[in-house]
């Protein structure tokens, strides 16, 4: 998480140095709020006069309750943490954020939300969140990524998200996954992919990758 937070903030000299600067951070699968807390802590250590407002959504009722109470204790606004399935009910609809940070569940199917997601894809196209394409039913990772991209500000937002290998490699040309990757690359939003060592996550030895997505890249990264 610290590595992701570092990569998220390290090019924004303003948040790191300007007194009274306010930024927003969002996690669409926030669990008990660990990523949001580490993000806030990082900014506070570098610039005690900066304010990072955190937002999140969580599907598990216990994790949601813990996250909300943790935010209350830390002086954040607990009403910025929403309950429910991010795919079916976007609790922060029409909101956009400066930064997004997430570790969505690996390889989780989206069967339960299929009807609503497919309808948004078919009826809203690029006006909705899932216009670029739909991945296979047994892995919703690229739905999370599209959801986060839909919340980027025109003026510039950065996303750090950790995935397993599936979003990188699954799906042949013309498949949903391939179309989503193509859309991201043609828009030149992909800034970096960092391969991590295996054995980093509990109960699994799989390889994992951090994706950094940025819609306002510096010249040298374009």
């Amino acid at each position: 998480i610290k590595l992701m937070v570092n990569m998220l903030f390290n090019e924004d000299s303003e948040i790191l140095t300007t007194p009274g600067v306010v930024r927003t951070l969002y996690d669409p699968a926030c669990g008990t709020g660990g990523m949001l807390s580490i993000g806030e802590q990082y900014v506070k250590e570098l610039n005690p006069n900066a304010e990072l407002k955190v937002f999140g959504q969580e599907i598990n009722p216990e994790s949601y309750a813990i996250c909300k109470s943790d935010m209350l204790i830390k002086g954040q606004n607990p009403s910025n943490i929403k309950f429910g399935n991010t795919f079916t009910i976007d609790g922060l609809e029409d909101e956009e954020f400066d930064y997004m940070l997430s570790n969505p569940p690996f390889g989780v199917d989206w069967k339960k939300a299929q009807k609503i997601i497919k309808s948004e894809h078919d009826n809203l196209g690029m006006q909705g969140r899932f216009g670029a394409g739909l991945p296979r039913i047994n892995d919703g990772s690229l739905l999370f990524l599209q959801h986060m991209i839909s919340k980027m500000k025109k003026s510039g937002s950065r996303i750090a998200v950790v995935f397993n290998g599936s979003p990188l490699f699954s799906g042949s040309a013309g498949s949903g996954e391939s179309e989503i990757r193509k859309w991201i690359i043609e828009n030149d939003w992909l800034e970096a992919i960092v391969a991590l060592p295996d054995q980093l996550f509990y109960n699994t030895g799989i390889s994992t990758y951090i994706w950094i997505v940025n819609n306002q890249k510096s010249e040298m990264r374009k």
Side-chain angles (χ1 to χ4, degrees):
I1 299 177
K2 283 183 176 165
L3 174 64
M4 289 170 75
V5 166
N6 259 295
M7 290 195 292
L8 203 57
F9 293 121
N10 71 356
E11 289 199 356
D12 186 347
S13 53
E14 206 174 300
I15 192 170
L16 307 180
T17 54
T18 313
V21 68
V22 178
R23 290 283 191 275
T24 52
L25 174 69
Y26 169 64
D27 182 346
C30 65
T32 55
M35 287 199 151
L36 297 174
S37 296
I38 290 177
E40 187 192 11
Q41 191 186 331
Y42 178 89
V43 170
K44 276 273 173 281
E45 280 171 11
L46 283 168
N47 181 2
N49 300 317
E51 186 184 355
L52 189 69
K53 294 184 174 179
V54 304
F55 297 78
Q57 184 158 343
E58 174 53 37
I59 193 168
N60 177 296
E62 285 165 8
S63 302
Y64 161 73
I66 292 168
C67 182
K68 217 171 163 78
S69 48
D70 194 36
M71 293 308 148
L72 192 62
I73 291 162
K74 289 184 169 141
Q76 286 282 352
N77 180 355
S79 64
N80 291 346
I81 308 298
K82 307 294 183 186
F83 176 64
N85 184 331
T86 312
F87 296 155
T88 53
I89 299 162
D90 181 359
L92 292 154
E93 202 175 352
D94 303 326
E95 294 270 0
E96 292 175 338
F97 306 98
D98 299 300
Y99 300 101
M100 286 167 262
L101 184 64
S102 196
N103 172 19
F106 295 149
V108 163
D109 77 55
W110 46 280
K111 225 179 240 123
K112 286 185 183 146
Q114 184 175 8
K115 217 179 239 169
I116 294 171
I117 289 170
K118 205 168 169 339
S119 149
E120 183 169 335
H121 170 75
D122 294 342
N123 300 325
L124 294 178
M126 285 314 210
Q127 302 312 113
R129 295 172 292 167
F130 310 118
L134 298 178
R136 63 197 60 197
I137 199 86
N138 61 4
D139 187 1
S141 299
L142 287 170
L143 294 175
F144 274 109
L145 186 55
Q146 286 186 87
H147 168 76
M148 291 163 92
I149 288 172
S150 78
K151 296 195 170 296
M152 291 180 116
K153 293 182 169 182
K154 296 262 185 300
S155 57
S157 297
R158 282 169 79 95
I159 294 170
V161 58
V162 63
F163 288 139
N164 63 7
S166 171
L168 267 182
F169 306 119
S170 61
S172 50
S175 67
E177 290 92 346
S178 177
E179 290 302 300
I180 296 163
R181 290 191 291 260
K182 177 179 162 190
W183 171 67
I184 291 168
I185 286 165
E186 286 183 348
N187 280 291
D188 196 18
W189 293 329
L190 187 65
E191 187 163 279
I193 288 177
V194 180
L196 299 171
D198 58 7
Q199 310 296 337
L200 278 186
F201 286 83
Y202 309 118
N203 308 327
T204 174
I206 58 171
S207 297
T208 48
Y209 303 85
I210 298 170
W211 292 41
I212 304 290
V213 180
N214 181 2
N215 63 347
Q216 288 293 339
K217 287 192 200 174
S218 61
E219 273 306 311
M220 63 180 279
R221 297 210 189 277
K222 285 184 178 173

